Amino acid sequence: MTAHQLILKQRAELLAVLCGGGSAEPLDCVLDLLLACEVLVWEDYLSIGVVEKPLLSNVRQLLDVVYDKGEDACSLLLAAMNQVLPEEQKAGLCFGKECAVLGKNRPDTATLTLLADRPVLVRKLRDNIDGALNALLTTGCFTIKDCDAVQLPVYTPSQQVRRLLDQVRFKGETAAKTLLQYLEQTETTRPNPEDKENHLSANCLLYQKKLRSSVAAQSHSLSTYGGTGRFSLDDIYTDGLLEVMDGSGETLTLGLEDVVGPLGTLNEDADTVLVSGEAGSGKSTLLQRLHLLWAREALLTNTFLLFPFSCRKLNSEHRELSLKELLFLHCCWPDRGQDEVFQFILDHPNLALFTFDGLDEFKQGFTDEERHCCPTKQVPIPILLFNLLQGTLMKGVMKVATSRPQAVGPSLKHYLRKEVLLKGFSPGGIDCYVKKHHSDPAMAKRVIESLQANTVLLSLCHIPVFCWIVTKCHQELLGGQDVIPQTITDVYLLVLQHFFQRKSPQPQGVLGKAWLEEHLDTVLKLGQLALEGLEASCYVFSGYELQRNGLTEQDVSLGFLIYCNDLSVTDCKHYEFLHITLQCFFAALYVVLNRNSDRSTVSRLFQPQYRQLSGLSQRCLGHCIDSSVEEVESHVTETPNLQITAQFVSGLLSQRHHNLLLECCPIAVRERKVKQVVKSLSKGMQRHFKSIPRPVEGEKKSMHAMPSFVWLIKCIYEMQDNSIAQDTMAKLDVEHLKLTYCNIGPVECTALGYVLKYLRNPVGLQLDNNSVGDVGAEQLLPCLHICHSLYLRNNNISDEGIRKLLEKGMKCESFQKIALFNNNLTDACTQHFALLLKSKQNFLSLRLGNNNITSQGAEQLAEGLSYNQSLQFLGLWGNKIGDRGAEALAAALKNSTTLIWLSLVDNGVGSAGACALAKLISQSKTMEQLWLNKNCISREGVECLIEALKMNSSVKEVWLRGNNLSPEEEEELSKQESRLTF
């Protein structure tokens, strides 16, 4: 089949894969390649890459343009897509015969070189854009305004590079030469691995080869959580969402290669990068992927030696070690020339990378009180680790550590180069993971469809460990459970049932209704081990500890405990729970099912900051605890793990699981524990409520909730008891609830929607700078009726999420304000906002700044505005509505009797748009502020605004900074009208 025919036959599929993720990056990469090999000319590129048009329209335009250019062009397009698309998206597509995407003869001018080398330049400039702009600015090729236009927050790093290349091309040959010379200088100053090897001794090269081989062997396979098999990491690894906040407070999306790159750096003098994420978000797997790619020389090519450490393993190291012993004993032993290899590391710290997985599992909290800088002196492991992280020891070595967010205190953050947030799977990531896990496409499709039919379960699957559980237990899930999983506890009971069912002697592994009672003895033994481990911050257990707790080989064979090959530091076998969350779950089962537990166990679980190491734990887990530490101080338990355990305890004591626990735990004991949980939750909430400050006069009564508040809400949700949620919310008396930067994802949104719906009075719910997403937005629907304002800035929400939110919002009388700055909204969402404005004549504020709304979207929005007589605030900062959009909005708002504030900052508005807005000013009796900064308005447009202001004394300010005016014009015009701000 010819390339022509392939494009025609697969048109729908090609459209889907280039638009599927909602990102323009795949299309942009294909365009780069087609420009480089001269399939497209510059005019084609401009007609296809129109930012104002929907992505789908641009992809259709590309297919049409290339199809008309003939067979060779079609063949090169297919080759470009084959090169750009990830493997999972290429399944089922045919790209024809092999065809390399190559350029023609080398160009003879610098501007043509920018086109011919565009794919390479985009890759090289991503991490060097600041330096490139500085070079262009210094030589006079660029102005400050040019730099600002390139670095708009709405652009991704790759889009900024393409914007830069486009601008340089328009500036001409001098600017193009300056940019290429800058890149050439950057390449010559960058250390060349080949040159480096010429100066390395044979011993160092031999050690690097051995270390690469060792790291590759450790990283090649990913153990399944059940310990029953192994996946190739290449086959199962799925990218999670990585974000970092830059110095200006903007959130940037990262790739794996950016984790140790310059993007998002806040402290240039620090060497430690922290990758933080909730339990089960994929931190260890991400590090494993980083290790594997380094071992293959596919990533971190400037890193000569990489040393991976596990904090779990370091926990069991009681000897005092020097840095040399730490590197060689815990990572890889040099066969010869140990002193020479170590001296090389000391002399070239910039060529080494240390990784520390599970910093939150380290027994001792970070402290910088004891300084240590001698690489050969033996000291306790905590002192060695902490001085490495803070840079006192081996300054210049890049360190990457993983941890849960709550476990990292201010003292450690002081030494961080940057903090990267790992936020689990995107919706597309969930689908990709399920497809990779199931070789049978039909089964994968069924699992995905079942998830999409249960949005609560789908929200859980954004956390990779929950996604694994659901994928692993697909037979139970698809087999029609009596109770559809709604909570995290439900999901873990599902995995418990799955593992017991797998080992059941019954035909086809069928379990009876009393399956938990049948396995109660095993559950209690595992639970006791789990709880004692948590109380001692111990996650690795010797065979002796298992034997002491009565655990047999048959118990171990169930798969909840897995053998730790690399953690066995003696002849004794060591084991760990297959995931820390499963250890928490078994600990919770022990707390709930143990009839002889201390009456204070439950209440202490909800006050983890006061819990000390129990005598039982001291007896059973002595090998895990440094005796010197025991003598000096009481051991404080790790709060995050006990919070997870408390969630499971709440869920297990839910009425939903009453029948399951009926024969395992006496009713009187169960009811006593339920009362203890309810009392603990009530007390915890009361502590938050009492901390609410009195409102300042003229301001609303506001509560800025802490992460522990979210944890308590999740515990209430796990109990699935409406009366508990209702009683708790009856005591909350605020007008504004602020939950910014609280790592709120879809799981937390489910709990918030369930609990907050019982608030007595409407509140403003502020969830800015979280990870709500489309699924999370849908999970908030149950409480939308009690929200008079909803703030969802910077939450990765798309048109589909907003559609569902507004469908419900139109029916909610109290719902009056929404803020959606910096999301993924396009023109497609504006029709829903138009319907909202038409139907709700009490809606007050709409803020849609920094999205992807064009003139078409503004026109749709204007249709709704023309019917609305209540809106007071309209913000569209950082979109692309242009003159046409400004004219449509001005016409729609001319009869408004309520509008107070209008912002069209950075929207490509010119003088024609300004003149249309001037008519609005002249007619409005309520407008007080108009913001038009960073547009293209010239003197003509400003003069129209001045004339309008003469007829309207109610307008207080018109902001016009950063328009097409000279300093002299600004000074002259400001004298004519004092309300203009330049």
Side-chain angles (χ1 to χ4, degrees), residues 210-269:
K210 182 179 180 182
L211 183 60
R212 282 195 193 277
S213 175
S214 172
V215 171
Q218 294 170 25
S219 308
H220 179 266
S221 298
L222 179 71
S223 296
T224 61
Y225 287 118
T228 55
R230 299 179 75 82
F231 280 114
S232 163
L233 191 64
D234 292 324
D235 293 339
I236 198 65
Y237 180 78
T238 304
D239 285 322
L241 290 170
L242 285 168
E243 292 182 355
V244 69
M245 189 172 294
D246 64 13
S248 63
E250 293 294 330
T251 299
L252 307 174
T253 301
L254 304 184
L256 186 61
E257 69 279 4
D258 298 314
V259 170
V260 293
L263 202 61
T265 297
L266 296 177
N267 184 356
E268 295 280 356
D269 297 323

Side-chain angles (χ1 to χ4, degrees), residues 818-832:
I818 193 166
L820 291 158
F821 176 85
N822 201 31
N823 280 285
N824 300 322
L825 305 181
T826 70
D827 292 336
C829 77
T830 54
Q831 58 182 311
H832 307 300

Side-chain angles (χ1 to χ4, degrees), residues 21 79 97 139 147 192 215 351 399 401 458-459 518 524 564 582 600 710 718 732 746 749 807 822 824 829 847 941 954:
K97 61 183 179 181
T139 54
C147 294
N192 187 335
V215 171
L351 299 180
K399 279 83 63 176
L458 182 62
S459 71
E518 292 168 12
L524 286 173
C564 309
L582 195 75
S600 64
V710 180
E718 289 293 317
L732 179 58
C749 288
E807 281 179 359
N822 201 31
N824 300 322
C829 77
R847 297 173 192 259
S954 65

Side-chain angles (χ1 to χ4, degrees), residues 207 210-212 214 307 326-334:
Y207 181 68
K210 182 179 180 182
L211 183 60
R212 282 195 193 277
S214 172
F307 296 93
L326 177 73
L327 297 179
F328 295 163
L329 288 175
H330 280 265
C331 289
C332 181
W333 185 265

Side-chain angles (χ1 to χ4, degrees), residues 800-916:
E800 179 61 17
I802 287 305
R803 178 186 68 80
K804 295 177 180 178
L805 201 64
L806 296 186
E807 281 179 359
K808 175 70 179 289
M810 280 186 271
K811 302 169 186 173
C812 300
E813 181 64 26
S814 299
F815 183 52
Q816 296 180 326
K817 298 179 182 179
I818 193 166
L820 291 158
F821 176 85
N822 201 31
N823 280 285
N824 300 322
L825 305 181
T826 70
D827 292 336
C829 77
T830 54
Q831 58 182 311
H832 307 300
F833 282 109
L835 284 173
L836 177 82
L837 292 167
K838 283 181 182 180
S839 62
K840 281 188 70 66
Q841 293 303 318
N842 66 340
F843 202 77
L844 302 177
S845 178
L846 177 59
R847 297 173 192 259
L848 301 174
N850 211 23
N851 282 287
N852 301 297
I853 297 170
T854 70
S855 57
Q856 183 181 347
E859 288 172 339
Q860 287 185 331
L861 200 59
E863 184 183 347
L865 287 167
S866 62
Y867 289 93
N868 186 275
Q869 287 300 320
S870 62
L871 195 72
Q872 297 177 356
F873 302 90
L874 177 59
L876 288 165
W877 182 92
N879 285 285
K880 291 287 172 276
I881 70 167
D883 282 335
R884 196 170 118 199
E887 288 167 352
L889 292 175
L893 292 166
K894 66 182 179 181
N895 295 321
S896 172
T897 57
T898 55
L899 188 70
I900 296 172
W901 180 88
L902 174 62
S903 173
L904 299 178
V905 171
D906 192 17
N907 262 285
V909 177
S911 291
C915 291

Side-chain angles (χ1 to χ4, degrees), residues 99-118:
C99 176
V101 184
L102 299 173
K104 309 286 184 180
N105 296 328
R106 291 302 302 164
D108 52 6
T109 67
T111 49
L112 290 177
T113 301
L114 294 184
L115 289 182
D117 294 345
R118 189 177 176 95

